[in-house]
Amino acid sequence: MNNAKVNINVDPPQNNFGSLIQKGNSIFIFLLAIGALIVTFSMAAGNFIELSQWLESFVEKYPAYLLVIVLLPLLGVFTAPLGGKWENLRDILLVNITFATFAMLLSLYPSVINGNLTLAIDKVLGYGLNFTADMTSLTLATLIAFIWLMVMIYAPDYMNKEDHRCRFYLFLSITYCGILGTVLAGGVFTTFLFFEAMTFSSYMLVVHSESKEALDAGDSYIYMGIMGGLCILLAMILLFINTGTLQYENLAYEMQTLGGLEYFILALFIIGFGVKAGLVPLHIWLPKAHPVAPTPASALLSGIMVKVGAYGMLRTTTSFFFPEFSQVTQGFEDSIWISAQTLGAIVIWLGIATMGIGIFMAMQQTNIKKMLAFSTVSQMGYIILGIGVAVYLGYKGAMGYSGVLYHIINHALYKSLLFMVAGAVYLKVHTLDINKMGGLWKKMPFTFVVSTIAALGITGMPLFNGFASKTVLHHGIEEAHMYGHSMFLVADYLFVIISAGTACVLFKWTYGIFFGECPNEHEHIKEGFPIMNIAMGGVAAAIVLIGVFPNFLLDNFIIPAAQGLTYDPEFIDSYIVGINIFARDDLVGMVWVYLMGAGLFYWGIKGSLFKVRFPQWLCFECLITLPVRKLIEIAFKIMKKLNLTRRDDMVVYTTSSCEANVEIPKEEIEEDSMVRKFAGFVDKQICCKCETPFIKSDVLLYSMILTFILVFFFVVK
């Protein structure tokens, strides 16, 4: 089924000369970006010493430089409307702004490798804004900027087929600013503000096509996002009341004095950021939102935005629940790590569940973008598992932390590339149904090559990037078994089995799209869109280079990031520095993974593995919303007894997405179709003649609640 509202056969009027200039600019910017990366990596290797020193002194001289980087994408807000008359000019300016942001982030490396950069802006909203660039945040921000640039180069050719392009680019720019602000935030208050800005602006990317599917997906996305934001807000309030700070500081000693409240705060942070990270069972928005959004947005949602949720989990757990070095007196055995060990064990199993459920659901999909969306859920499970290991092992958790950061980088690259491949294929075959594809490797050879590179990366083939990060994560779970509880041996086995499931899904992807018999209606297809190919080629090259030289990122970005936390320096030097990624046991292990993956794929095409169907009442969305509907029904029964409403005016009904056995007090539901189309959560559960006129938008309602709480706690003295 086609989930996007795309005018395939109608191209907007283009000025040929302007289009040529726009494409030439994209090629030029692409080459500049490659050059900037080469220079930065050369500085990391000890070359260009004078340039490195000049950049360091420049950044030190202008402390507001960090704020300029965060706010620079907002220039796109003023640039996007130009597309009404000058589309090519708008595309040129947006690509150039994105490159400028990327180059400025790269220029921070010489300073950050020698120490953190901080910027405090006092009295903003009463508490102040704080920004910090350390090796963790800079690594992630640079990754975000690189992928964003490749997608912006890719986007014009794809978006020429879409309506409302100016609106799309406007909210894309706000989302970019929100993401950078979240990653470079120096405290959870600043994180929260930019995180919420990212959530609300990205909603417009999800509902861009304005189709029924997009609006339904947008509902799920914004409801879950608001719930997550409220959890983070409550955690912030409790943290501030009990510790007096919202900065990212090591607060393990202070948190241990809170008793059970410590774990409640922790749970709120994990739920709040876990929503965006696709943590099962909070992932229900993700497989809805990714397929309906335009492909450039899908690539950014899956490649970047879900990582911001994982980053929030990683940052809060390794700050608020880790001690200072001076407080660690007995190393790994110190009692100060007890809370972290309890937390880490829970998160490890949440990660395993997310991995397994995500990949199993990916096997069942025929929509290629939905298949990738569930695959993203599974891959985020790897990252969440790594966060659990990094926290569970405490003083010896550097392997888990390194694996998390490495896998965030790698998954962002190959998953954004896979979505770009899906978009390129869709523009040619006009469908997302994998059963209506096949034989495209001869028709679209370049797309086939980059898709294969991404598939080899995500499945963990040696010499491709995914092998390195999965190896480090696997070593981390082995260490959890070695230094911790024996139950993690089961997690180790599940890790391997689920990795085989990932290989199975990518076998299905590659075979279904590029092999088999080509349908007659696709015989005329030819490779097209050279600028899109350049962007995809840039990401594919990064996947291969990281795979061939896996220790470069470890030595120059990831290990320095781990050394900035409360991890045992001797452990890092002994087990991570100079690690042999291509060890014999790890290489042999991948042989078994691919063999099992091939067996699962054979079972899928010859048996029923790809055709498992569960009853609708068993879906996660239904299991989550059913208790809510029951509570609402009980509330209205109480209101009726108190004569606050009349039974005849109240209707509780089941939404179309899941059919649970919910009592329906009234057989006929009479509601205007447009009201239902744009109704909020309460409207969709209850149609009440008295209450409905006062509940027009739950988003507005919840936004007012958030604003009031912020003003009360942080402005009113």
Side-chain angles (χ1 to χ4, degrees), residues 653-715:
Y653 69 89
T654 304
T655 59
S656 60
S657 58
C658 60
E659 299 179 4
N661 296 320
V662 182
E663 178 187 355
I664 303 178
K666 205 169 188 179
E667 292 289 334
E668 301 293 332
I669 298 174
E670 296 180 358
E671 183 182 22
D672 181 79
S673 60
M674 291 302 294
V675 173
R676 180 179 296 185
K677 182 178 181 181
F678 293 101
F681 180 75
V682 177
D683 291 308
K684 289 196 171 187
Q685 310 307 319
I686 298 174
C687 302
C688 180
K689 296 176 183 177
C690 300
E691 285 75 10
T692 298
F694 299 99
I695 308 174
K696 293 297 183 184
S697 173
D698 297 320
V699 172
L700 177 62
L701 175 64
Y702 295 152
S703 299
M704 291 171 63
I705 293 173
L706 288 174
T707 304
F708 173 78
I709 295 175
L710 279 173
V711 170
F712 182 80
F713 279 95
F714 298 118
V715 178

Side-chain angles (χ1 to χ4, degrees), residues 134-449:
D134 56 19
M135 282 309 300
T136 299
S137 61
L138 179 62
T139 299
L140 188 55
T142 305
L143 167 75
I144 290 168
F146 173 74
I147 293 176
W148 209 282
L149 179 59
M150 294 300 105
V151 171
M152 292 304 295
I153 292 173
Y154 172 98
D157 282 339
Y158 186 93
M159 293 304 297
N160 279 340
K161 312 296 182 181
E162 291 275 358
D163 297 325
H164 310 300
R165 292 181 289 278
C166 293
R167 182 185 69 190
F168 175 83
Y169 285 118
L170 186 149
F171 284 100
L172 195 67
S173 299
I174 299 173
T175 302
Y176 190 18
C177 174
I179 289 174
L180 288 180
T182 302
V183 172
L184 294 172
V188 70
F189 177 68
T190 306
T191 294
F192 173 76
L193 293 178
F194 282 94
F195 190 81
E196 290 299 284
M198 174 192 72
T199 297
F200 284 101
S201 57
S202 58
Y203 166 80
M204 296 302 296
L205 306 180
V206 174
V207 301
H208 176 80
S209 69
E210 301 179 20
S211 64
K212 182 182 183 301
E213 293 87 351
L215 293 172
D216 288 343
D219 286 344
S220 297
Y221 177 75
I222 202 67
Y223 298 147
M224 295 300 295
I226 290 171
M227 183 196 75
L230 288 171
C231 288
I232 296 171
L233 180 62
L234 180 56
M236 285 168 46
I237 293 170
L238 293 174
L239 182 70
F240 185 74
I241 290 173
N242 289 280
T243 66
T245 183
L246 293 176
Q247 301 303 101
Y248 286 129
E249 300 175 0
N250 297 126
L251 299 176
Y253 182 79
E254 292 81 356
M255 296 293 284
Q256 280 192 342
T257 64
L258 302 181
L261 184 60
E262 173 189 13
Y263 295 101
F264 182 63
I265 294 173
L266 163 68
L268 289 171
F269 276 127
I270 289 180
I271 292 171
F273 290 113
V275 167
K276 198 67 82 235
L279 174 68
V280 169
L282 307 173
H283 70 290
I284 57 176
W285 66 271
L286 197 151
K288 290 184 174 184
H290 289 198
V292 299
T295 292
S298 298
L300 296 173
L301 285 169
S302 186
I304 290 176
M305 195 175 303
V306 294
K307 310 304 184 301
V308 177
Y311 173 80
M313 294 175 64
L314 182 66
R315 182 64 88 178
T316 52
T317 52
T318 57
S319 295
F320 303 140
F321 301 92
F322 268 37
E324 298 283 357
F325 268 112
S326 59
Q327 296 172 332
V328 180
T329 58
Q330 300 178 29
F332 175 71
E333 304 294 336
D334 202 304
S335 61
I336 203 167
W337 295 107
I338 291 176
S339 298
Q341 290 171 355
T342 304
L343 154 67
I346 295 171
V347 174
I348 286 174
W349 289 110
L350 286 174
I352 290 289
T354 302
M355 290 166 61
I357 292 172
I359 205 61
F360 180 77
M361 294 305 299
M363 293 179 186
Q364 312 308 314
Q365 307 309 314
T366 56
N367 181 307
I368 58 174
K369 290 179 74 174
K370 200 165 186 177
M371 184 189 301
L372 294 179
F374 275 112
S375 171
T376 294
V377 173
S378 178
Q379 291 295 305
M380 291 308 297
Y382 285 87
I383 293 170
I384 293 167
L385 177 145
I387 294 173
V389 172
V391 177
Y392 174 75
L393 289 178
Y395 203 51
K396 293 184 178 181
M399 187 72 75
Y401 187 89
S402 300
V404 169
L405 196 52
Y406 212 159
H407 204 64
I408 285 175
I409 295 170
N410 289 339
H411 180 257
L413 290 169
Y414 51 63
K415 189 51 66 69
S416 60
L417 178 54
L418 285 169
F419 269 104
M420 287 192 275
V421 167
V425 170
Y426 175 71
L427 288 180
K428 294 297 182 180
V429 302
H430 314 329
T431 181
L432 295 174
D433 189 345
I434 197 170
N435 294 324
K436 298 179 181 179
M437 302 178 190
L440 296 183
W441 76 272
K442 291 182 179 179
K443 308 294 182 181
M444 305 176 70
F446 182 84
T447 304
F448 168 66
V449 170

